[in-house]
C-alpha cells in the first residue's frame, strides 16, 4: 500500500503522523511511504531520518494526498486540506467529528474512509489511541494552569504547592478518566489540594485507592460542582462521553461564584468542552477571560510537546497502521473489532450514531 504522511498545518501543531521507526516497519512490510518534506521537523525528525529507513520525501502536501492510498496524520484535516482528500482514500487521524459539522460534511462530501483514532476501542472499553495524548494533556493541564494562576497572566496569584506556613492551591478535576487522573497526579505531586469528581464510582474507588490522602474524591453532580467552584483555584475539565459532545457541567451562571483569577483548563474542548463558556483556542492565543475567570481551551495541547507526543502516539497507532496497510481497511476492520469501532464516515456514509445525534441528522440508508 502507498502510505502518505503530510506535514500538519493546524496552528502550532508540530507532531507528525509517524516516526522513522514506524516508517521502518512499513517499508519492511513492503509498503511505500511518502513523507512530505519537513513533516517531522517539529518533532525532531529530519527528511534524511525518514529517507534512511526507506521513505520517499515529496515536496508538497498535494503530492502526498494525490499519491497515497492511506493518509496517516495527527489532527483532522483543516479547511485547506478538505479538497486534497481523495475519494476512497483511508484517512487515519484524530477527527472528533461530533464537535465539527463542517468537517463531518466535508468528509462525507469527499467520500473518504475516515477512521478516527479517538473511537478505536478495546474490549474493556478503553480508548488505546486516545490514552497517550490524554496522558500528555492531563499532565500539561497542571503545568499550564499553574502558569495562568500567576498574577501577570491575570490569575489569582496562587502558587499551587503553597510554601511552609501558607496553604497550597486547590485544584478541582472534573472527570477521573485518563486526563483527570494524570492531572490529579501532577497537581498532587506539586503539593496542591486536589478534589476529583466523576459519575463513575469504579473510577472514584480506583483514584481513592492509588492517590495520596490530599486527593479527595466526590461524586459529580451539580450540587457538588457548585460547592467546589467557590474555593478552588484551578479547574481542569476532563469529562468525556464517548464519541459525543461533552456535557456542560459548568454553566455560564456558575462563573460569578468563582473567585476572580480562577483558571479553567478545559481539556475536553475537543469534544465541545464541559464548560458552557468554553470556546476553542490555539497555542498562539491560548486564553481568554470571562467574568474574571481565565479560560485555557487549546484543542491540541500535546502539540506543544511534540517530541514526547509523537513518540507516544506512534507507539500505539503503528500496530493499526500496519494492519490497515497489510490487509486493506475492509479486512483489517473485519478482523479487528477495536479498529472497526474507529470507522466514523465511510464513502459518504456516517457510521457512528453519535455524529448523527450531535447535528440532529437523520440516519442514512444503505
Ligand atoms: N485538548 C486536548 O489537547 C486534548 C488532548 C487529549 C484528550 N482530550 C480530551 O479530554 C477529554 C477526556 O479524555 P479522557 O481520555 O480522560 O477520557 P476518559 O474516558 O478516560 O475519561 C472521561 C471521564 O469523564 C467521566 N464523566 C462523564 N460524565 C461526567 C460528569 N458529568 N461529571 C464528571 N465526570 C464525568 C467519565 O466517567 C470518565 O471517567 C476527551 O474529550 C478527550 O478528547 C483533549
Amino acid at each position: 500500500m502507498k502510505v502518505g504522511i503530510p506535514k500538519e498545518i493546524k496552528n502550532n501543531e508540530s507532531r507528525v503522523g509517524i516516526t522513522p521507526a514506524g516508517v521502518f516497519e512499513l517499508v519492511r512490510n513492503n509498503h511505500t511511504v511518502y513523507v512530505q518534506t519537513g513533516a517531522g521537523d517539529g518533532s525532531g525528525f529530519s527528511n534524511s531520518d525518514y529517507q534512511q529507513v526507506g521513505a520517499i520525501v515529496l515536496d508538497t502536501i498535494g503530492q502526498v494526498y494525490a499519491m497515497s492510498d492511506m493518509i496517516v496524520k495527527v489532527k483532522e484535516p483543516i479547511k485547506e486540506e478538505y479538497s486534497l482528500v481523495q475519494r476512497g482514500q483511508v484517512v487515519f487521524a484524530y477527527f472528533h467529528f461530533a464537535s465539527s459539522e463542517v468537517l463531518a460534511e466535508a468528509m462525507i462530501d469527499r467520500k473518504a474512509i475516515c477512521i478516527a483514532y479517538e473511537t478505536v476501542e478495546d474490549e474493556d472499553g478503553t480508548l488505546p489511541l486516545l490514552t497517550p495524548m490524554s496522558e500528555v494533556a492531563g499532565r500539561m493541564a497542571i503545568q499550564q494552569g499553574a502558569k495562568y494562576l500567576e498574577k501577570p497572566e491575570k490569575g489569582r496569584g496562587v502558587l499551587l504547592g503553597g510554601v511552609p506556613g501558607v496553604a497550597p492551591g486547590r485544584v478541582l478535576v472534573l472527570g477521573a478518566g485518563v486526563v483527570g487522573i494524570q492531572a490529579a497526579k501532577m497537581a498532587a505531586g506539586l503539593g496542591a489540594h486536589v478534589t476529583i469528581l466523576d459519575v463513575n464510582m469504579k473510577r472514584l474507588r480506583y483514584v481513592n485507592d492509588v492517590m495520596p490522602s490530599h486527593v479527595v474524591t466526590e461524586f459529580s453532580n451539580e450540587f457538588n460542582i457548585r460547592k467546589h467552584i467557590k474555593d478552588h483555584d484551578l479547574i481542569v475539565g476532563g469529562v468525556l462521553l464517548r464519541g459525543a459532545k461533552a456535557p456542560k457541567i459548568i454553566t455560564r451562571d456558575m462563573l460569578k461564584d468563582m473567585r476572580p483569577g480562577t483558571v479553567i483548563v478545559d481539556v475536553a474542548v475537543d469534544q465541545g468542552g464541559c464548560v458552557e463558556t468554553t470556546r476553542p483556542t490555539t497555542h498562539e492565543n491560548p486564553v481568554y477571560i470571562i467574568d474574571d475567570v481565565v479560560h485555557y481551551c487549546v484543542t491540541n495541547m500535546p502539540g506543544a510537546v511534540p517530541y514526547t507526543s509523537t513518540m507516544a502516539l506512534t507507539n500505539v497507532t503503528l500496530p493499526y497502521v500496519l494492519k490497515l496497510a497489510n490487509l486493506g481497511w475492509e479486512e483489517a476492520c473485519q478482523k479487528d473489532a477495536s479498529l472497526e469501532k474507529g470507522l466514523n464516515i465511510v464513502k459518504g456514509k456516517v457510521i457512528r450514531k453519535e455524529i448523527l445525534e450531535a447535528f440532529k441528522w437523520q440516519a442514512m440508508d444503505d
Side-chain angles (χ1 to χ4, degrees), residues 23-315:
V23 172
F24 176 85
E25 287 299 329
L26 281 165
V27 172
R28 198 160 66 162
N29 279 267
N30 298 319
H31 301 294
T32 303
V33 185
Y34 298 118
V35 176
Q36 186 184 346
T37 184
D41 284 354
S43 298
F45 307 121
S46 65
N47 287 348
S48 89
D49 290 336
Y50 285 108
Q51 280 162 330
Q52 274 169 24
V53 289
I56 297 165
V57 173
L58 297 178
D59 287 338
T60 67
I61 192 167
Q63 288 171 316
V64 174
Y65 273 92
M67 293 168 71
S68 306
D69 306 308
M70 173 164 69
I71 295 293
V72 178
K73 66 193 301 306
V74 182
K75 292 304 281 185
E76 74 283 353
I78 62 170
K79 246 183 206 130
E80 295 90 311
E81 287 168 292
Y82 292 169
S83 63
L84 301 176
V85 175
Q86 311 283 309
R87 195 185 182 94
Q89 189 169 51
V90 175
V91 185
F92 195 33
Y94 288 115
F95 278 99
H96 297 288
F97 277 119
S99 60
S100 174
E101 194 167 1
V102 179
L103 173 69
E105 280 172 348
M107 290 305 110
I108 290 170
D109 183 49
R110 301 307 298 169
K111 303 223 170 354
I113 292 111
C114 303
I115 309 181
Y117 292 160
E118 72 278 5
T119 64
V120 172
E121 187 177 329
D122 280 342
E123 265 173 32
D124 62 359
T126 53
L127 304 172
L129 306 191
L130 198 57
T131 302
M133 293 306 104
S134 292
E135 288 167 342
V136 171
R139 290 181 177 214
M140 262 187 80
I142 301 303
Q143 249 175 244
Q144 295 301 319
K147 181 170 89 194
Y148 287 102
L149 274 171
E150 292 171 9
K151 203 69 189 171
E153 305 288 350
K154 308 278 188 294
R156 286 198 70 227
V158 169
L159 184 64
L160 276 183
V163 286
V166 182
R170 296 172 72 82
V171 179
L172 176 65
V173 180
L174 305 171
V178 181
V179 165
I181 286 185
Q182 295 303 322
K185 188 172 168 178
M186 292 299 277
L190 287 175
H193 172 93
V194 182
T195 309
I196 182 161
L197 309 184
D198 204 301
V199 288
N200 181 337
M201 280 308 300
K202 277 193 189 155
R203 301 301 299 171
L204 293 182
R205 282 195 188 98
Y206 174 73
V207 173
N208 186 264
D209 278 348
V210 300
M211 291 280 176
S213 58
H214 60 297
V215 177
V216 176
T217 59
E218 278 193 46
F219 197 77
S220 176
N221 55 36
E222 189 176 336
F223 182 86
N224 282 339
I225 292 169
R226 283 192 185 274
K227 177 177 73 179
H228 288 305
I229 54 172
K230 291 180 183 159
D231 67 353
H232 280 68
D233 305 296
L234 168 60
I235 300 170
V236 176
V239 167
L240 174 67
L241 299 177
R242 297 284 157 85
K245 271 195 165 174
K248 306 284 182 199
I249 59 174
I250 293 197
T251 52
R252 174 77 174 83
D253 72 296
M254 291 183 189
L255 297 193
K256 66 175 179 345
D257 294 331
M258 298 176 190
R259 294 173 299 189
T262 297
V263 175
I264 297 175
V265 177
D266 196 354
V267 183
V269 57
D270 56 352
Q271 294 292 121
C274 59
V275 178
E276 200 176 349
T277 43
T278 286
R279 60 174 164 76
T281 62
T282 62
H283 288 293
E284 242 159 40
N285 286 304
V287 293
Y288 57 94
I289 296 176
I290 301 178
D291 289 355
D292 294 326
V293 172
V294 182
H295 293 58
Y296 175 101
C297 310
V298 174
T299 48
N300 58 337
M301 293 172 69
V305 286
Y307 179 80
T308 305
S309 301
T310 293
M311 290 214 264
L313 185 59
T314 298
N315 285 342

